[in-house]
Amino acid sequence: MLLVPAAHRLAGKESITLDDFADEPLLRYAEAAYDAFWRIDPRPDGRPAPDGPLVETHADKLEAVAGGRALALAPTGGGNSAVRRDLTAIPVAGIEPCTVVIATRAGERGHLVTAFRESARAASHRSRF
């Protein structure tokens, strides 16, 4: 999903492609691999993703997008709507979805591990931004 301000030119579209926002700045993240993944950097054509501001927290991410400073790619889940009225989430066609894997030690059956697995499974089904 692409997270945009509610008044953005793409808001209200049913679906978009990378070409629709290829020249718009995307938020940056401190960790290089995470940053490259969530910015699709480099792009399939080899160009770098345009730089937006560096964000450190989820709240920073939402504020930067709502303030029109950059856009952000975000995971999709069961609820395909943004968590704030000033933001809109738009499905992006043509981008491979990521896979979340939960790993624990073989045979680990403690109550905390079981609770973690159940919590992670539930969160993955209702993931929002």
Side-chain angles (χ1 to χ4, degrees):
M1 303 289 280
L2 183 68
L3 198 56
V4 303
H8 191 272
R9 66 180 178 81
L10 296 173
K13 299 268 187 188
E14 263 189 55
S15 174
I16 57 174
T17 67
L18 180 57
D19 289 341
D20 292 321
F21 62 95
D23 296 324
E24 301 223 27
L26 292 178
L27 296 177
R28 293 180 300 117
Y29 305 94
E31 203 283 314
Y34 187 87
D35 183 68
F37 179 83
W38 285 107
R39 292 167 28 84
I40 309 172
D41 191 20
R43 300 294 168 79
D45 64 5
R47 291 186 307 152
D51 284 342
L54 179 68
V55 295
E56 295 183 19
T57 68
H58 183 68
D60 291 343
K61 173 181 175 176
L62 298 179
E63 286 299 316
V65 173
R69 296 179 13 215
L71 308 180
L73 287 166
T76 185
N80 291 335
S81 62
V83 295
R84 294 172 38 155
R85 290 187 188 134
D86 54 352
L87 301 174
T88 299
I90 310 161
V92 182
I95 296 177
E96 289 294 319
C98 65
T99 301
V100 175
V101 177
I102 301 168
T104 59
R105 291 184 293 253
E108 186 76 52
R109 301 286 180 243
H111 72 281
L112 290 176
V113 173
T114 300
F116 170 74
R117 279 192 206 119
E118 290 171 4
S119 176
R121 187 175 293 117
S124 73
H125 291 293
R126 66 175 189 275
S127 177
R128 294 194 184 188
F129 321 101

